[in-house]
Amino acid sequence: VKHSQHQPALDPLTGQMVELEQFTAEEEEQVWLFENFNAKNLQATVDTGSALAIVKRMRKLVIIGASFQTVFAGLTLGFFSSMDNPTLAIIPIFAVIGLGASTCFVLVNYMRYKDSKKLHRFISEPEYKTKFIHLVNKVVLCKEKGQRAGDVKTSATRTSTGYRFLFCMAPPAVSPQYNADNPVG
């Protein structure tokens, strides 16, 4: 209800007060492009001023996937005639499964490759560079809070039994069950 009124609300999973993201229509288009990449890759793009590393990585993943496709297609064709042999029939069966999985891998990473090239063009244009850096920082922050696909920042404290992880703990005023002596329960 609070989010529909553009007010922060308590996230029941993290115990953190969360606001809805606010983007202009132009920013929203770019944010959809950013969703293909993790916060670490986006931050590296800001730090280096180039998305070339992402472009190269996506190209590499497509080539690796296509190589696996070729191997699995060859195994499928080469052993298809052995389908009636109980000992060898498993090879073309697993090869077909591998072919399907590698095809999905190639298609997803090819789409990411195309988007990485768009990202590279976008950051390369001087008039967009400042906007890009601001928008990436905003998206990375949202990813760290868990509002978008990405890793949620955590903190760890050392205890006698090991590490205790605190996932975006809410302050005591927001969470009445909070106990400073035992913050995770």
Side-chain angles (χ1 to χ4, degrees), residues 23-156:
F23 296 110
T24 66
E26 180 186 1
E27 288 176 332
E28 189 65 42
E29 186 177 327
Q30 294 303 320
V31 168
W32 278 108
L33 182 66
F34 297 165
E35 289 300 322
N36 288 292
F37 313 106
N38 63 32
K40 181 180 172 184
N41 287 12
L42 291 173
Q43 190 60 52
T45 300
V46 168
D47 295 343
T48 62
S50 171
L52 201 53
I54 296 175
V55 173
K56 288 178 180 180
R57 176 160 169 68
M58 293 302 112
R59 185 182 317 128
K60 180 180 173 182
L61 290 173
V62 169
I63 291 168
I64 290 169
S67 300
F68 275 99
Q69 268 185 305
T70 304
V71 169
F72 287 128
L75 287 171
T76 301
L77 293 173
F79 283 92
F80 192 76
S81 61
S82 303
M83 285 297 290
D84 57 351
N85 182 332
T87 306
L88 296 177
I90 196 70
I91 295 172
I93 292 169
F94 279 129
V96 167
I97 293 169
L99 180 61
S102 60
T103 299
C104 291
F105 182 85
V106 167
L107 292 175
V108 166
N109 283 294
Y110 178 72
M111 289 186 287
R112 292 177 72 204
Y113 170 69
K114 286 178 26 181
D115 284 343
S116 70
K117 289 179 14 179
K118 286 181 192 175
L119 184 66
H120 183 64
R121 279 193 304 273
F122 181 67
I123 195 172
S124 298
E125 297 176 19
E127 67 270 15
Y128 291 116
K129 198 164 202 152
T130 304
K131 281 184 186 178
F132 172 81
I133 291 170
H134 171 73
L135 189 56
V136 166
N137 287 332
K138 189 174 178 180
V139 170
V140 166
L141 180 64
C142 292
K143 285 179 177 276
E144 289 174 350
K145 287 181 177 179
Q147 291 174 282
R148 300 195 80 81
D151 296 329
V152 177
K153 284 279 187 192
T154 61
S155 61

Side-chain angles (χ1 to χ4, degrees), residues 4-20:
S4 65
Q5 299 167 354
H6 300 286
Q7 295 178 0
L10 182 66
D11 180 344
L13 298 177
T14 63
Q16 182 179 11
M17 293 300 286
V18 182
E19 292 181 319
L20 288 180

